[in-house]
Amino acid sequence: MSSVVHISQTPVLVAKNVAADLANSVKRGIPFHIALSGGSTPKLLFDYLAEHYRESIPWGDVHLWWGDERCVAPDHPESNYLMTKESLLRGVILPPGNVHRIKGENDPEEEAVRYADEMKRTIPMKDGLPVFDLIYLGLGTDGHTASIFPDRMDLLNESAVTAIAIHPESGQKRVSLTGPVINHAAKVAFLVTGEGKAEKVSEIFEQKDGSELLPASHIHPVHGDLTWYLDRPAATSLRF
Ligand code: 6PG
């Protein structure tokens, strides 16, 4: 596994960097399975892709999945799918069958199973796990990623590919990929911006005492590559 860090001056330049790397990764005629993240940072990327990469990425070969989703309806303001629909999908066209949303309106337990089955039917498998070509992740200020929160470190080694998580503050239920699936991807990319993340970025990169309690510090693709895309404020505490 290789680990690379890209630091850009601003969040928009992070989005520009990530978009260019994505365009270099998707090969025409070869299905490319991406798991998207929710949150504010990925939205910048999705807007940038919708604006600048409508034609230069073969979107017909791209399959969109989600690393996690809030258990809400697809038109709910907190839906990760809605955020993607209103940013990326307003600008790029994918075959409807290539958009594999987590159905937040369904019973969470049933949806976790349904979504897992859809992955297993659609994404190439290895060692019993779907192998995503790329998984985008964010980093919470508590060190969570996807919807693996610090009070559920067990999800990092969960045998099932999906799990139900509960946001520790809001109590909101989420369906999330589990650690083994994330660490089985060909490439994992963290998109992290803002000074508010600097402390956690530093804890993780410098493996400070207590960093082992942060779910994001346990993301190490077994066979794949790990890339961190940071803006300058999020990287401010790093010592290179
Ligand atoms: C979600 C995300 C979550 C997010 C982090 C960071 O559904 O909320 O999957 O893991 O990536 O909370 O969010 P920001 O990028 O908005 O800080």
Side-chain angles (χ1 to χ4, degrees), residues 37-42 68 70 80 138-140 144-147 174 197:
S37 171
S40 56
T41 308
D68 64 331
R70 293 82 181 276
N80 287 339
L139 174 67
H144 82 262
T145 194
S147 282
R174 313 272 188 95
K197 306 292 173 71

